[in-house]
Amino acid sequence: MMQLAISTPASGAKTVQVPVLAATQEYATLLPSGQTPPPTAEATPAGEATSTEGGH
């Protein structure tokens, strides 16, 4: 969440809390032009090892 200041001549200034969403999944297409979403980590299925050490 972040604060956003909004003002109009009729009602003056107000500060409101707005959500900030990551540019991933369904929001990935909503980036400003010229920007790309950050890379995402792939999930590891439960029970699988994630070690990079040599095994037996």
Side-chain angles (χ1 to χ4, degrees):
M1 299 291 283
M2 69 176 293
Q3 290 186 349
L4 176 68
I6 301 172
S7 65
T8 66
S11 63
K14 305 241 183 213
T15 301
V16 295
Q17 292 278 76
V18 295
V20 177
L21 304 172
T24 59
Q25 298 178 5
E26 65 268 18
Y27 302 109
T29 61
L30 302 176
L31 287 171
S33 62
Q35 293 187 3
T36 57
T40 58
E42 291 187 26
T44 301
E48 288 190 18
T50 58
S51 175
T52 57
E53 295 178 18
H56 296 262

